[in-house]
Amino acid sequence: QKLEVDMKVEARYRGKSKYYPGIISRVRLNGTVDINYDDGEKELGVKPEFVRVLEDRGRGRSSKSPKKRSSRGPRVGQKCTAQFKGKGKFYPGKIAKVNSDGTVNVDFDDGDKDRYVDMRSVKLEDDDDDDDETDTNDQKLEVDMKVEARYRGKSKYYPGIISRVRLNGTVDINYDDGEKELGVKPEFVRVLEDRGRGRSSKSPKKRSS
């Protein structure tokens, strides 16, 4: 099928194996095309063999949508935990976009972003479960509470103050040495009960800016 401008297609981004949806923005003389992907990425000079036409079947935007779990599918803005690049630990974040192929884009609490994350690598946070999770600690974590926490999950504890308590039970911490960390799990945090008022000497060594 002849490739034309504004045609809805799927293409193998950077020649990789997975196809991503987008629209042709330009057809070049050598037969390659420029594509504006649905997630905002652009790619120039894509070879025709890496492109397949969607034949307008995406018009209703429903035929290929993932099987819906009665309104419990992912929603934009919904809190979740997800594996970065589909590997390893689950990190807190929120759904930034639900893609037409059933994958999602995730904005992680620490500032990282990941696109086209398979739902097998995502755990959605149910709004009703949030309260249960925050009570897993013996002591409830609250904003402005003086704590020690394992920076980036390492073994050593560093003193700081909770700047935010998130719905999924994790907390953001401003450490005494100026570092900040987002989405720290409660099991990495212990409350100082005011015994750290003298700005404990154990602050992590500063990396000179």
Side-chain angles (χ1 to χ4, degrees):
Q1 190 165 351
K2 193 177 173 200
L3 300 176
E4 296 170 1
V5 172
D6 287 337
M7 194 175 257
K8 238 186 146 13
V9 294
E10 289 182 321
R12 287 161 57 182
Y13 182 64
R14 296 193 189 285
K16 292 180 180 161
S17 57
K18 196 168 176 187
Y19 283 83
Y20 297 108
I23 286 177
I24 294 177
S25 61
R26 178 180 172 190
V27 179
R28 296 176 178 264
L29 287 174
N30 62 2
T32 64
V33 293
D34 298 356
I35 295 178
N36 292 345
Y37 290 99
D38 288 359
D39 69 338
E41 288 284 337
K42 300 187 180 197
E43 191 176 11
L44 310 181
V46 183
K47 293 181 180 173
E49 58 262 36
F50 293 158
V51 180
R52 60 188 183 201
V53 179
L54 281 182
E55 293 160 357
D56 256 16
R57 65 169 185 260
R59 211 172 248 168
R61 298 188 77 82
S62 59
S63 49
K64 283 189 61 192
S65 65
K67 44 183 182 297
K68 285 204 173 68
R69 304 181 218 109
S70 58
S71 86
R72 292 178 73 81
R75 305 185 310 273
V76 172
Q78 186 173 10
K79 289 187 171 297
C80 64
T81 54
Q83 293 173 305
F84 187 62
K85 304 288 184 204
K87 294 179 189 157
K89 278 172 63 177
F90 282 79
Y91 296 98
K94 68 179 179 191
I95 307 286
K97 182 181 176 190
V98 180
N99 298 306
S100 57
D101 61 356
T103 61
V104 292
N105 296 1
V106 177
D107 287 354
F108 290 98
D109 290 354
D110 63 359
D112 275 324
K113 295 175 190 285
D114 202 3
R115 295 194 319 277
Y116 294 103
V117 183
D118 192 296
M119 285 306 295
R120 282 174 298 195
S121 298
V122 179
K123 294 178 188 168
L124 298 175
E125 298 283 347
D126 288 329
D127 301 334
D128 0 336
D129 297 347
D130 293 334
D131 298 337
D132 304 339
E133 287 196 31
T134 38
D135 294 332
T136 48
N137 256 17
D138 296 335
Q139 189 158 2
K140 198 174 176 200
L141 300 176
E142 296 170 358
V143 173
D144 289 337
M145 194 175 257
K146 256 194 129 16
V147 293
E148 288 183 322
R150 287 161 56 182
Y151 182 64
R152 296 196 186 282
K154 293 180 180 160
S155 56
K156 196 168 176 190
Y157 282 84
Y158 298 106
I161 286 176
I162 294 175
S163 61
R164 178 180 173 191
V165 178
R166 296 175 180 266
L167 283 175
N168 63 2
T170 63
V171 294
D172 298 357
I173 295 178
N174 292 344
Y175 289 99
D176 288 358
D177 71 335
E179 289 283 340
K180 298 186 179 196
E181 191 176 11
L182 311 181
V184 183
K185 293 183 178 173
E187 58 262 36
F188 294 159
V189 181
R190 59 188 184 202
V191 179
L192 279 184
E193 291 158 3
D194 259 17
R195 66 169 184 264
R197 239 188 216 150
R199 290 183 76 87
S200 150
S201 54
K202 291 196 312 179
S203 61
K205 46 181 180 298
K206 283 204 176 66
R207 300 179 216 98
S208 56
S209 51

